[in-house]
Amino acid sequence: MTFREQPGIAQIPERQAFFRDSVVNACVSVSLGTPDLQELSITCPSGISIPVSTLKLFPNLRHANVQVGLVPGPILDPNAPFTILSNLSQSESELSSIYEALRSEPVPRLEHLEGLKLKWGIKTHAADVLSTMRLDGIRQLAVHTDRRLGQRFIFDMNQLTTQTSSNLTSIEILSYRQTIRCTTGGRLVEVFAPLLSRPQLREVRIELQPYNFSLPAADVAELGRAWPLLEKLHVSFRLRSRDILPTLHHTLISLSESCVLLQYLHLPGIATGIRLGPAPITLPSYPESKLQHISSDYLQCTHSAFDIAAALYTSFPRIVQAGPRLQLQASKWEPVNVFLQMMRHSSSLTAVQEAFSRLRLPGDRQISVSLYRMALYNGTLPNSTTYRHALEY
């Protein structure tokens, strides 16, 4: 069920109440017509909330995508008029029975949920959600919010993840609210400690833009050991400190050995490590590695972009992307990815190395961006001839 966005509805309480009653009424109608419904999707305009107990109308629900704010209370407000159900086809006596039942709190919790996606609102609380449904059978859990909820959101997410079981294979927790003030969250592995005992996890996406956490190399290694089946790890938030960052050498070796199925890696920050003289980055070779993507919000470089790309290219044969796919602003990953694409599409890495033998920071960024623009202009990735032209660009 999708209810179209209506401008200004959040500012008019009467319209909010009417819209909420309409959504509840539609849910009641669907539940009466399809009592064994197993999949439910509700999308409502911003500013609209419905009682979380509305979901109890569907006791056999297995997959729910609820993109509407959830608040405590019975399905119908005790003061709701009987006429709210007037559009239903049941007899008056049946409607009267339904009306009374909806004004009281349905008792049984949802028992069979396997997949759950929730929009977390200002008045949504973990205790109310957990009183409505059991999460010990959940395999996929996703929670999104665009509200500024502070420490309460972190506490609620801890409570939710605590109630999940070892069956959990996918977790997604997103907070998109951009603010100048940042809420301190502590160590990520402590806040989401319950997830460390979920060994079946294959996809983990935690994006908390209004929060800062710490995630040193040792904690990244701990995540890898906890999730041996991991295929995708995307963690993004503001760093409490950039003094101690996971390094390419330590982090990639640790995760490559702990998570042999890992294909996608994004961290809040990565450092290329300490540079000892002119020596390039050296990484062990992982010919069986499935890693295709590596990126971070912040990249601390002590090596040239060319050296970083060469290390990734020679160690991980399946890698196709270095840095975020969508970069809204200049990033140190951009030249790394340009070099990586050239290496992937060149017949010989030696040819690329010869072409850029004179290339070192900071000039590599300027030249790589020029190559990138030339590639866009030509509609193709640069070839070995273009490399040499770029040196004269």
Side-chain angles (χ1 to χ4, degrees):
M1 293 181 285
T2 300
F3 299 85
R4 291 183 300 177
E5 189 73 40
Q6 296 189 14
I9 191 171
Q11 283 73 44
I12 306 175
E14 293 78 8
R15 292 187 63 190
Q16 278 189 16
F18 176 80
F19 206 102
R20 177 198 63 223
D21 292 342
S22 299
V23 175
V24 171
N25 191 297
C27 290
V28 172
S29 179
V30 171
S31 68
L32 293 173
T34 316
D36 295 326
L37 190 72
Q38 295 188 7
E39 295 189 19
L40 174 69
S41 177
I42 306 175
T43 302
C44 290
S46 301
I48 298 299
S49 298
I50 63 173
V52 65
S53 55
T54 304
L55 300 178
K56 291 184 178 180
L57 292 167
F58 310 96
N60 297 304
L61 207 58
R62 292 187 180 276
H63 299 275
N65 178 10
V66 186
Q67 299 305 298
V68 57
L70 298 173
V71 296
I75 298 174
L76 287 185
D77 187 279
N79 298 319
F82 179 78
T83 53
I84 192 174
L85 303 177
S86 60
N87 69 322
L88 300 180
S89 59
Q90 279 70 18
S91 66
E92 185 170 343
S93 61
E94 290 175 322
L95 287 178
S96 178
S97 176
I98 294 171
Y99 176 68
E100 292 302 326
L102 297 180
R103 293 169 67 195
S104 61
E105 184 76 28
V107 177
R109 290 194 297 171
L110 300 180
E111 301 280 347
H112 310 296
L113 277 174
E114 298 175 6
L116 179 64
K117 186 174 183 178
L118 295 177
K119 178 180 180 181
W120 212 259
I122 292 177
K123 297 182 180 181
T124 308
H125 294 272
D128 299 322
V129 172
L130 293 173
S131 69
T132 301
M133 60 192 73
R134 295 181 57 174
L135 300 184
D136 52 3
I138 286 284
R139 297 180 65 84
Q140 295 92 30
L141 176 62
V143 182
H144 302 179
T145 186
D146 58 0
R147 303 289 183 170
R148 183 178 176 183
L149 302 177
Q151 290 285 2
R152 181 173 68 82
F153 182 68
I154 299 300
F155 174 79
D156 281 341
M157 293 306 98
N158 177 275
Q159 295 297 298
L160 283 190
T161 55
T162 298
Q163 296 302 314
T164 61
S165 75
S166 58
N167 295 320
L168 192 68
T169 61
S170 174
I171 182 75
E172 187 174 283
I173 299 175
L174 310 180
S175 177
Y176 292 121
R177 185 79 174 192
Q178 297 290 345
T179 61
I180 296 177
R181 291 186 60 189
C182 197
T183 302
T184 299
R187 286 179 61 202
L188 187 79
V189 294
E190 292 179 349
V191 173
F192 293 102
L195 294 178
L196 297 179
S197 57
R198 307 294 183 262
Q200 299 297 318
L201 275 168
R202 293 179 177 270
E203 295 189 8
V204 176
R205 184 181 178 192
I206 300 176
E207 295 187 47
L208 301 169
Q209 297 307 319
Y211 300 86
N212 63 38
F213 294 91
S214 61
L215 188 66
D219 288 358
V220 176
E222 185 175 357
L223 297 180
R225 290 191 296 270
W227 304 325
L229 302 179
L230 196 64
E231 298 176 4
K232 178 178 179 179
L233 176 62
H234 187 119
V235 183
S236 176
F237 47 77
R238 301 186 194 184
L239 290 163
R240 293 183 64 182
S241 173
R242 293 180 175 179
D243 294 336
I244 303 177
L245 293 174
T247 63
L248 280 177
H249 189 272
H250 182 279
T251 299
L252 287 181
I253 292 177
S254 172
L255 290 179
S256 296
E257 294 176 355
S258 300
C259 310
V260 296
L261 302 177
L262 188 65
Q263 301 177 30
Y264 180 104
L265 175 64
H266 181 97
L267 296 175
I270 296 179
T272 60
I274 300 174
R275 184 180 179 88
L276 301 175
I281 301 175
T282 55
L283 295 173
S285 177
Y286 292 99
E288 303 301 321
S289 172
K290 299 182 183 298
L291 188 66
Q292 299 178 22
H293 176 114
I294 179 172
S295 58
S296 62
D297 299 330
Y298 170 73
L299 177 64
Q300 187 181 81
C301 293
T302 52
H303 296 74
S304 73
F306 177 81
D307 286 342
I308 300 170
L312 294 173
Y313 175 76
T314 54
S315 297
F316 301 96
R318 291 181 176 84
I319 196 162
V320 297
Q321 177 73 24
R325 293 188 182 279
L326 297 177
Q327 299 187 30
L328 302 180
Q329 57 185 3
S331 165
K332 292 182 180 179
W333 279 109
E334 184 181 5
V336 175
N337 191 54
V338 172
F339 288 138
L340 176 64
Q341 301 309 322
M342 290 188 292
M343 293 170 189
R344 290 182 59 238
H345 292 81
S346 171
S347 59
S348 169
L349 177 59
T350 303
V352 183
Q353 290 172 327
E354 290 177 354
F356 288 101
S357 60
R358 301 194 301 272
L359 203 57
R360 284 294 179 267
L361 286 171
D364 59 347
R365 175 174 175 77
Q366 181 179 355
I367 294 176
S368 65
V369 171
S370 299
L371 281 167
Y372 182 68
R373 291 173 177 169
M374 290 166 64
L376 290 177
Y377 180 79
N378 295 329
T380 59
L381 287 164
N383 54 34
S384 57
T385 303
T386 311
Y387 302 158
R388 294 178 171 81
H389 289 169
L391 292 175
E392 302 169 358
Y393 188 71

